[in-house]
Amino acid sequence: MILSNLPMMNNNRDVVAAKSTGVLVKKSDVLEDALRRTAIIHQSHSLKAFLSACFLEVKLDDFNDQGWQKCHELIAHDELATEVLFSPSIESQCFHPQRIDGILKRGLFPASYIAMKSWLAHSSIEEIFSFYEKQAIEGNEYLLHTVSILLSFKRLWPSLDAQQLPYAIERFTEFVTSTYYHNNHIEYPQNTCSLIQEISVENAILKAVSQPGFWGHNLICLSWLLDAEDLVSAEFREGVLAFIIEQSNWVFPDADDVLNQAIFETLVANTDRAAFHQAINHLIYGSTRNIHQITLAAALVSMWDRVDSLEIKANLYKICCYFSSEAY
């Protein structure tokens, strides 16, 4: 998911106009749009979706302008657009560290935008990422957006130019205030009968394949973690692996959080790479229901290339077909 610098369009209206006139949007258009998208439920997935599409562009021979158009449509389906860069219109102040922490912790807006800019004025973005990585492994949070979206910002940040960074700072501010400081805390009871004591990549893969979670979030988080091993500490890695294994054992009251075994067992397994890529294409293009069509597709492709086990590949194929189904 390494990116080159990408040119910016003039404004978000250009992206909307391109779609309305039937002109396919380009990769740079999607990044421009994603930087201006905010969350409606939980946290914004726009930048994670963009990076997932970057990954698929490399991995799938037929992921072209049509793929970027689909990524744009899925982002627009689930995220709220804004043409405004907020911080320039807010009274400029330079907050000291204690005030910064208090403002971000309480999610005070619009002051949080200025607080994050003040923090960046005397700390590096690497130090700020490290601060939130420590928070991310303090406790196991439902869907693990604390991990995957944080890693998407960390992966994307070095490739952003001076025009893009102000938008990224505002999106990052919205993400951390809604996600950390024990906000958005949801936890479920553990099925202690099926606990795995050993914390390892192999066990995490086995558990995530057997219980992928809501729209495959266990697989999504695991793929982001494994693809970002060059970006994180051993402590962070081990903590997140433990969380994925735990979440695969959680007892959920909502049927959408677990595989419908009756449906899943009717699906025919396949370990052929061409058939798998065909199924991935159907997951991406077959409907416009959820932004995770693109993020899960990238996770499944990443995991398929990582594992040798035909049994695991067969399950990845079935998981792809399951989430492609309108029955889900």
Side-chain angles (χ1 to χ4, degrees):
M1 296 184 183
I2 303 299
L3 306 176
S4 59
N5 280 340
L6 299 170
M8 295 289 283
M9 295 179 67
N10 290 332
N11 58 49
N12 198 48
R13 288 193 183 93
D14 293 333
V15 177
V16 176
K19 182 181 176 184
S20 65
T21 57
V23 178
L24 287 177
V25 297
K26 305 293 185 181
K27 182 177 184 176
S28 56
D29 305 341
V30 178
L31 177 58
E32 163 78 358
D33 184 55
L35 285 165
R36 289 161 169 77
R37 293 278 172 175
T38 61
I40 297 174
I41 301 174
H42 290 297
Q43 299 90 348
S44 175
H45 287 66
S46 296
L47 295 175
K48 190 166 78 171
F50 170 78
L51 286 170
S52 296
C54 290
F55 175 79
L56 291 169
E57 183 183 40
V58 173
K59 292 292 185 176
L60 303 180
D61 293 336
D62 53 354
F63 192 96
N64 47 31
D65 286 349
Q66 182 187 4
W68 287 108
Q69 175 74 21
K70 191 63 183 183
C71 181
H72 172 71
E73 290 175 5
L74 289 168
I75 289 172
H77 181 267
D78 277 10
E79 310 277 54
L80 187 67
T82 174
E83 296 181 21
V84 177
L85 188 61
F86 295 102
S87 51
S89 62
I90 305 167
E91 180 185 4
S92 180
Q93 292 200 29
C94 188
F95 297 123
H96 59 74
Q98 186 176 358
R99 179 61 60 84
I100 290 170
D101 183 64
I103 290 171
L104 295 173
K105 184 182 295 183
R106 293 172 179 84
L108 299 177
F109 281 92
S112 287
Y113 293 126
I114 305 303
M116 183 60 73
K117 287 182 67 176
S118 295
W119 195 358
L120 282 163
H122 63 74
S123 297
S124 68
I125 187 60
E126 290 75 21
E127 290 174 306
I128 295 173
F129 283 143
S130 178
F131 175 84
Y132 289 113
E133 284 172 30
K134 290 181 175 66
Q135 285 208 24
I137 57 174
E138 284 181 358
N140 197 353
E141 299 292 345
Y142 174 62
L143 303 178
L144 285 169
H145 294 153
T146 46
V147 174
S148 60
I149 298 179
L150 179 64
L151 292 178
S152 72
F153 276 103
K154 194 169 187 179
R155 179 67 78 187
L156 182 65
W157 209 274
S159 69
L160 297 174
D161 63 28
Q163 287 181 291
Q164 298 163 334
L165 274 171
Y167 293 94
I169 291 168
E170 293 195 355
R171 299 295 82 79
F172 185 66
T173 304
E174 292 156 3
F175 165 63
V176 299
T177 53
S178 65
T179 304
Y180 300 100
Y181 309 104
H182 305 289
N183 293 327
N184 246 349
H185 178 71
I186 304 175
E187 193 170 321
Y188 292 94
Q190 188 91 334
N191 180 3
T192 55
C193 297
S194 59
L195 285 178
I196 294 178
Q197 300 301 319
E198 182 186 354
I199 306 302
S200 67
V201 171
E202 293 73 21
N203 282 336
I205 291 172
L206 287 172
K207 294 301 294 182
V209 168
S210 66
Q211 170 48 297
F214 176 74
W215 268 101
H217 271 78
N218 290 331
L219 282 168
I220 291 170
C221 183
L222 181 58
S223 71
W224 273 91
L225 176 69
L226 298 180
D227 289 344
E229 287 188 294
D230 60 322
L231 299 178
V232 300
S233 67
E235 180 186 15
F236 183 87
R237 179 180 178 275
E238 292 301 299
V240 176
L241 287 175
F243 290 162
I244 292 167
I245 292 171
E246 287 174 13
Q247 289 213 18
S248 298
N249 288 318
W250 278 0
V251 179
F252 295 101
D254 192 334
D256 285 344
D257 286 314
V258 296
L259 289 176
N260 184 319
Q261 290 298 326
I263 295 174
F264 193 72
E265 293 303 320
T266 66
L267 301 174
V268 179
N270 198 320
T271 58
D272 177 70
R273 185 180 186 85
F276 174 68
H277 279 192
Q278 185 177 0
I280 288 290
N281 280 333
H282 184 62
L283 173 61
I284 296 169
Y285 300 110
S287 63
T288 306
R289 293 183 292 142
N290 194 294
I291 199 169
H292 292 98
Q293 288 170 230
I294 199 90
T295 57
L296 177 58
L300 289 168
V301 170
S302 176
M303 297 306 298
W304 178 282
D305 289 345
R306 183 176 292 274
V307 300
D308 296 321
S309 166
L310 292 180
E311 183 179 356
I312 292 176
K313 287 182 184 290
N315 271 320
L316 291 171
Y317 176 85
K318 289 176 67 176
I319 289 167
C320 184
C321 294
Y322 178 86
F323 287 104
S324 301
S325 170
E326 293 291 341
Y328 174 70

